[in-house]
Amino acid sequence: MAFDHRRISLAIAGWSAFLNLYSPQALLPELAREFGSSAAHTSTIMTASTLAIAVSAPFAGAVADVFGRKRIIVAAMIAASMPGAASVLAPDVATIAACRFVQGLLLPPIFTVVLAYIGDEWPPQRVPGVVGVYVMGASFGGVSGRLITGIIADIAGWRAGMMVIAVLTGLAGLLLAATLPREKNFVRSQGLAASARQMVRHLANPALIATYAVGFGVLFNFIAAYTYLGFRLAAAPYHFSNSALGLLFVTFLVGALSAPLSGRGIVLLGRRNFMFVLIATWMLGTLLLLTPAVPVMIIGLMSGAGAGLVAQAVSTGYVTVSAKEGRSSAIGLYFTAYYVGGSVGAFLPGLTWETWGWPAVVVEMMVMLAVMALVVRLAWSASSRE
């Protein structure tokens, strides 16, 4: 079988989007110290971008259903580097959050449209595996962004770290412009009004609504776990540095390597049963985060990252296969739910952290996983192996 270089381009797109999205996460304890802000207030840097994504994702999808795929992806990648560069000059948390909000508005045209591109250009039986490659690239981007900012912040300050991220994003956009083929099977929507009607039809589909609910829970737990475990490890008795906090996100590589196997898991167990296995694994990993031993916490993070990123691949792959029209808008709605979950996961556990501490944050995450399992049990097909 000939090597399909399109997969590399899609992985680059995922890498650059998530390079930006999570890059400040390892810096939050330092930013809280520098600007004298609380954990909950500092976490608005994360909330701002995820909330902006939630707002713009459906509209990005609708625009792409009218104007096409590649041109929207490349333009968004290059534009997203600009607010990232502007945040380097920020004098306070509020200004960084404002830059992050603008950047968040520009990210959905990358990842929602990439997934629609996959749904258009590959046959349904191959979509989960290709989505897994994209998720792998996105996972490496999430790890890279946190590592790069953490390491450079210890050497030259957090502003230098964020500038490097902005430059890498712009370069990735230029690379994608040169390597990603134009779409061949794209079916243009009849206009923005027609795309809006398609979105309404998506919202009448119970299986899609259930998948959107699962997406909400996935990012809620990721943001809650990595953000507030970072605050825990930055404090006594651990006193982790920025670089050490950045290294925590290497655990995401477990998910990056596992995500391409999502198609195999669906074929063997069926989508619903496979998701039950993933949620159970994630629950076990979350419980391990209660231990005071750092190596055990790392095992818990690895279990959650592996299970959670495969769950993300399963869910997004389902949306691309099941939406027969308006794929970009269907995926956009998924990411609206996903990033609303991320915004809530950045803010609500912050209040819990400040009032009751880390064990209560873990309880919140366990409750969310239980709700996800219930949604899957009630609304997903027991027999589907697509």
Side-chain angles (χ1 to χ4, degrees):
M1 183 180 296
F3 175 72
D4 191 345
H5 72 280
R6 294 177 298 173
R7 299 184 181 216
I8 302 298
S9 298
L10 296 173
I12 291 171
W15 178 83
S16 66
F18 288 88
L19 180 79
N20 284 275
L21 182 58
Y22 298 119
S23 58
Q25 201 166 24
L27 303 177
L28 294 180
E30 177 176 335
L31 293 171
R33 289 191 296 269
E34 178 167 333
F35 296 117
S37 59
S38 68
H41 178 60
T42 308
S43 71
T44 59
I45 293 171
M46 301 301 297
T47 303
S49 55
T50 54
L51 182 61
I53 291 168
V55 169
S56 66
F59 304 104
V63 169
D65 281 340
V66 175
F67 295 106
R69 311 298 193 209
K70 178 180 177 178
R71 67 182 67 177
I72 297 293
I73 296 168
V74 170
M77 286 177 66
I78 294 172
S81 66
M82 299 176 186
S87 66
V88 170
L89 304 175
D92 51 37
V93 167
T95 304
I96 298 174
C99 292
R100 295 277 299 166
F101 184 85
V102 174
Q103 187 177 58
L105 294 174
L106 296 168
L107 293 179
I110 303 173
F111 44 72
T112 64
V113 183
V114 164
L115 290 167
Y117 181 100
I118 294 170
D120 289 342
E121 303 300 313
W122 275 270
Q125 67 272 19
R126 295 180 62 190
V127 164
V130 180
V131 170
V133 172
Y134 161 78
V135 171
M136 179 175 67
S139 304
F140 275 103
V143 173
S144 300
R146 290 145 165 153
L147 274 176
I148 290 168
T149 53
I151 292 171
I152 294 180
D154 282 341
I155 298 171
W158 64 267
R159 298 177 192 272
M162 294 177 77
M163 178 56 76
V164 169
I165 296 295
V167 171
L168 289 174
T169 303
L171 293 175
L174 296 175
L175 180 61
L176 203 71
T179 60
L180 183 66
R182 289 289 298 272
E183 59 272 17
K184 296 179 181 178
N185 301 317
F186 168 61
V187 178
R188 190 180 307 276
S189 169
Q190 296 178 355
L192 293 177
S195 292
R197 289 192 294 271
Q198 289 170 348
M199 279 194 282
V200 172
R201 289 194 288 273
H202 296 324
L203 292 173
N205 184 326
L208 281 178
I209 292 297
T211 307
Y212 297 159
V214 171
F216 178 101
V218 168
L219 195 57
F220 178 98
N221 271 28
F222 273 146
I223 295 293
Y226 281 92
T227 297
Y228 295 101
L229 185 62
F231 277 105
R232 181 189 184 193
L233 293 176
Y238 303 103
H239 299 295
F240 272 34
S241 67
N242 291 315
S243 298
L245 291 175
L247 285 170
L248 287 178
F249 299 102
V250 173
T251 57
F252 255 73
L253 296 180
V254 175
L257 298 174
S258 302
L261 302 177
S262 58
R264 179 70 61 86
I266 293 172
V267 169
L268 291 175
L269 300 176
R271 183 184 298 112
R272 190 174 74 170
N273 288 337
F274 187 40
M275 186 62 79
F276 288 150
V277 172
L278 295 172
I279 292 174
T281 303
W282 202 346
M283 283 182 161
L284 178 60
T286 300
L287 289 174
L288 293 179
L289 299 180
L290 289 170
T291 178
V294 172
V296 180
M297 291 186 218
I298 297 301
I299 294 171
L301 286 176
M302 291 172 64
S303 298
L309 286 168
V310 175
Q312 170 72 343
V314 172
S315 298
T316 53
Y318 173 72
V319 175
T320 62
V321 169
S322 62
K324 305 304 180 185
E325 61 176 3
R327 279 197 177 96
S328 290
S329 58
I331 296 165
L333 288 170
Y334 175 88
F335 279 108
T336 291
Y338 184 74
Y339 285 103
V340 168
S343 296
V344 177
F347 178 72
L348 183 60
L351 301 178
T352 304
W353 162 265
E354 292 177 354
T355 305
W356 294 291
W358 175 245
V361 175
V362 171
V363 170
E364 274 186 319
M365 291 189 287
M366 292 293 290
V367 170
M368 181 59 68
L369 288 167
V371 171
M372 289 165 59
L374 180 62
V375 168
V376 170
R377 173 67 180 82
L378 295 176
W380 282 22
S381 169
S383 60
S384 178
R385 282 175 163 76
E386 292 181 349

